[in-house]
Amino acid sequence: MADELVIAGRKFQSRLLIGTGKYATFDLMRQALEVSGAEIVTVAVRRINISDRSKESLLDYVDQKKYTLLPNTAGCYTAEDAIRTARLGREAGLSDMVKLEVIGDEKTLFPDNAGLIEAAKVLIKEGFIVMPYTNDDPIVCKRLEEIGCAVVMPLAAPIGSGLGIRNPYNIRIIKEQAKVPVIVDAGVGTASDAAIAMELGVDGVLMNTGVAGAKDPVLMADAMRQAVEAGRKAFLAGRIPKKLYATASSPLEGTLRE
């Protein structure tokens, strides 16, 4: 059976979502997107020149027939600003999907969850498919689902930190109670972080800095693709239980003897 990621009725084969920021060149970004196998690509509305399409833009390097654009409201510190930015992206023809960010602190880039919920309510009423970046807080994630968000996107660690999954237990609780996809967003630094996230049972992983900031972004994009796939397969396969003492791999009892 097909193991697809389904977001608001839209089906995707890849469970890796990847960003477009921080690459040294647009061409390097294009190569990384290609090898990542990602189908959903995030773009910061504020970084796109949507008023003068005659000038070079990162959109010139993203094949919109191949990728689903996911505009994000990065850099917005109020609900009003995030709502305005989301509307601007949709009016520019980017997408009716939006990665909703309302940042509450400039240093940590942790989300303002009150502002996030406020903005989400407005955008959902306006027909947006809202994918909110939030803390790894089961209560907040449940609230975002209840008001109609298409997915919940708890952070693994602060944006760009590369610290990996800091609180796997909260992520597991969020996944267990959710009836919408759970996508880990922010903090993934290397392939093992992505695999661990997927082994927890989440539905996908979104990353940018972990790939774009690597010494070889294209090679890291390939590693992240394989890690997400391996982590998903390991979760579906079901790991053995952890035990304090050893268990023989070739027990004598119950075996055939000559």
Side-chain angles (χ1 to χ4, degrees):
M1 294 178 63
D3 179 36
E4 299 171 319
L5 171 61
V6 182
I7 299 175
R10 304 182 187 185
K11 299 179 180 179
F12 302 93
Q13 301 301 315
S14 174
R15 293 176 179 272
L16 173 60
L17 293 73
I18 195 165
T20 53
K22 301 184 179 181
Y23 290 92
T25 67
F26 285 146
D27 189 60
L28 188 61
M29 176 199 73
R30 180 191 58 77
Q31 294 178 58
L33 297 183
E34 181 69 27
V35 302
S36 73
E39 296 171 85
I40 300 176
V41 174
T42 67
V43 293
V45 175
R46 291 187 166 196
R47 291 199 305 109
I48 300 173
N49 182 2
I50 55 181
S51 61
D52 186 357
R53 291 295 182 90
S54 65
K55 296 181 179 179
E56 185 180 48
S57 167
L58 71 82
L59 293 180
D60 298 331
Y61 295 83
V62 178
D63 185 352
Q64 295 183 49
K65 294 181 180 178
K66 180 176 181 180
Y67 302 108
T68 295
L69 293 183
L70 177 59
N72 70 56
T73 61
C76 294
Y77 286 81
T78 66
E80 293 77 11
D81 199 9
I83 292 166
R84 182 166 50 250
T85 301
R87 289 169 176 165
L88 181 62
R90 183 162 70 174
E91 289 169 4
L94 297 181
S95 178
D96 59 351
M97 299 174 72
V98 61
K99 177 189 170 186
L100 183 61
E101 298 182 30
V102 181
I103 302 301
D105 178 72
E106 187 174 357
K107 184 176 181 179
T108 65
L109 299 182
F110 283 138
D112 174 353
N113 288 316
L116 182 69
I117 291 172
E118 179 186 346
K121 287 179 178 178
V122 172
L123 294 175
I124 289 166
K125 287 182 179 179
E126 294 182 4
F128 282 89
I129 297 170
V130 177
M131 301 170 63
Y133 157 72
T134 185
N135 287 321
D136 57 347
D137 183 332
I139 305 304
V140 173
C141 287
K142 190 63 178 176
R143 178 62 177 143
L144 288 165
E145 178 184 337
E146 288 171 348
I147 64 175
C149 290
V151 304
V152 291
M153 303 176 69
L155 55 81
I159 293 173
S161 68
L163 290 173
I165 307 293
R166 294 294 85 198
N167 196 337
Y169 306 105
N170 273 20
I171 298 295
R172 285 181 58 186
I173 292 170
I174 290 167
K175 176 57 186 172
E176 286 176 5
Q177 71 180 14
K179 294 181 175 62
V180 296
V182 176
I183 297 174
V184 165
D185 179 17
V188 171
T190 191
S192 57
D193 297 335
I196 289 170
M198 295 304 299
E199 287 174 7
L200 291 172
V202 301
D203 300 280
V205 178
L206 191 155
M207 64 186 71
N208 187 177
T209 307
V211 174
K215 292 182 179 179
D216 187 336
V218 177
L219 186 59
M220 183 61 81
D222 187 41
M224 292 296 193
R225 176 185 60 80
Q226 295 184 60
V228 168
E229 292 175 355
R232 178 64 177 177
K233 289 177 180 178
F235 169 72
L236 294 175
R239 65 158 293 138
I240 63 171
K242 295 180 180 180
K243 298 179 180 179
L244 183 60
Y245 297 103
T247 301
S249 298
S250 302
L252 295 177
E253 293 181 2
T255 61
L256 296 175
R257 299 183 181 181
E258 295 183 357

